[in-house]
Amino acid sequence: MEKFHTNTVVIGAGAVGLAIAKNISYQNKEIIILEKEGKIGQITSSRNSGVIHAGIYYKSNTLKSKFCVEGNQLIYAYAKKFGIPHINTKKIIVAINDAQMEKIFKIKDQAKSNGVENLEILNQNQIKILEPLIKNVGGLLVPSTGIIDQHSLMQSYLGEFENNGGMISYNSIVTKILIENNKFAIEVHDNKNNKTIIICDYLINAAGIFASDIANNIDGLQKKYVPVTYLAKGNYFSLNKKLPINHLIYPVPENISLGIHLTLEIDNSIKFGPDAEWVDDPYDYSVNEGLKTKFYNSIKQYLPDIKEDMLFPSYAGLRPMTSKEDKSKRDFTISTSDDHKIKNLINLYGIESPGLTSSLAIAKYVEKRI
Ligand SMILES: Cc1cc2nc3c(=O)[nH]c(=O)nc-3n(C[C@H](O)[C@H](O)[C@H](O)COP(=O)(O)OP(=O)(O)OC[C@H]3O[C@@H](n4cnc5c(N)ncnc54)[C@H](O)[C@@H]3O)c2cc1C
């Protein structure tokens, strides 16, 4: 059995693990990323909407609101600097009746208190001019929302990390972690089940939907510090033709999802979703064709010209959530030795939306604590 020593290990090469590894690679030349898949970003980081969120819905003073607003600015600046394909599409939240318009005023207030700027209440005619196909009684224009090619973004994070001397090991499944003499001994299996032990001083668990499973396999970490990760599946349907729509269009949000919204790809093609359903299987990404009618009924409320047979099942992603019932607990959880008392260990739980937008802000936060 082979044994290696390195200073820092990051588990997970999604947008968050890569952003953290890249940030700390400027100070630390001995970092290994362990990734169970054969490529970067194969799990949640490639199964999302690719939206650069503004940070409007989240409760004030939560990690989500703070990281999203800061991350939004950091991502635009990063994308410009490194030539990552992105579009500042802006977004319109549309009300389809007066009761929803009331909610839109409340969303605007919440967004303002989170530090989101230049929000604008629009009336029906103003929205008709911007988006003639969209039915509405009014809405909210959010200028800082956009879209980004998440694969190019992650590739760029990886490029910076590797240029700084960082190493990534693919097909490397972390199964167990022991703590010996203040160091972590990480058991890693490859896809032929060969075992390697990596010893490191600092450990960052950015394993997304599997972060709680990994933390539960850290010998010495008390279970009370490991939240349960629940999975909320989000399905997408795509549209079989392009339409002249330029903004992202969101209905007034529902309980766990933002409602079945319309987002654009970089090539201007249209997709709808995600919806939200609690699931148990972390490997099932199939999209049930039977959901089409539910999608159609939601979408036609704001896009009446659409026909059900224009929709096609596309893909699905799984949101890691740390609570099913209590919305207020659905914040990102970044657990350090301040809580669990194990030095040099950081676990990231519940990094659901807006984790992609927040990736650079999360990386800054973790970098300061390492
Ligand atoms: C449906 C949906 C829509 C979303 N839309 C948006 C959006 O529009 N905008 C936005 O900002 N955010 C969005 N998000 C959230 C965003 O996608 C995530 O917050 C972000 O991708 C999380 O990145 P991550 O690196 O934490 O996790 P992941 O991308 O899941 O990366 C974790 C990595 O850890 C690896 N790993 C797991 N277990 C092990 C192990 N035992 N050993 C080694 N490696 C392991 C995995 O293979 C994976 O590559 C959305 C999420 C979903 C599900």
Side-chain angles (χ1 to χ4, degrees), residues 12 14 16 35-36 45 48-49 51 172 174 236 351-352 355-357:
V16 173
E35 169 52 55
K36 73 177 169 60
S45 295
N48 57 46
S49 308
V51 172
S172 299
V174 173
Y236 292 87
I351 312 293
E352 46 127 353
L356 182 71
T357 310

Side-chain angles (χ1 to χ4, degrees), residues 10-20 33-53 58 68 75 146-148 150 154 169 171-176 187-189 205-211 213-214 232-236 248 250 258 261 263 271 273-275 283 285 315-320 332 348-359 362:
V10 176
I11 305 172
V16 173
L18 288 166
I20 293 170
I33 303 176
L34 297 174
E35 169 52 55
K36 73 177 169 60
E37 301 294 321
K39 295 180 190 157
I40 60 169
Q42 295 298 290
I43 310 296
T44 312
S45 295
S46 57
R47 298 180 161 278
N48 57 46
S49 308
V51 172
I52 306 174
H53 284 297
Y58 316 109
C68 190
I75 287 268
I147 52 172
I148 189 156
Q150 60 272 62
M154 287 188 279
S169 178
N171 302 311
S172 299
I173 308 163
V174 173
T175 49
K176 198 174 172 183
E187 197 174 294
V188 186
H189 290 256
N205 168 12
I209 57 171
F210 296 103
D213 295 338
I214 288 188
K233 184 171 183 179
N235 299 283
Y236 292 87
L248 308 188
Y250 282 60
L258 298 179
H261 45 271
T263 54
K271 63 182 183 299
D275 63 348
Y283 302 102
Y285 289 106
Y315 64 98
L318 299 173
R319 306 171 183 88
F332 298 150
L348 294 101
Y349 307 107
I351 312 293
E352 46 127 353
S353 194
L356 182 71
T357 310
S358 306
S359 52
I362 294 175

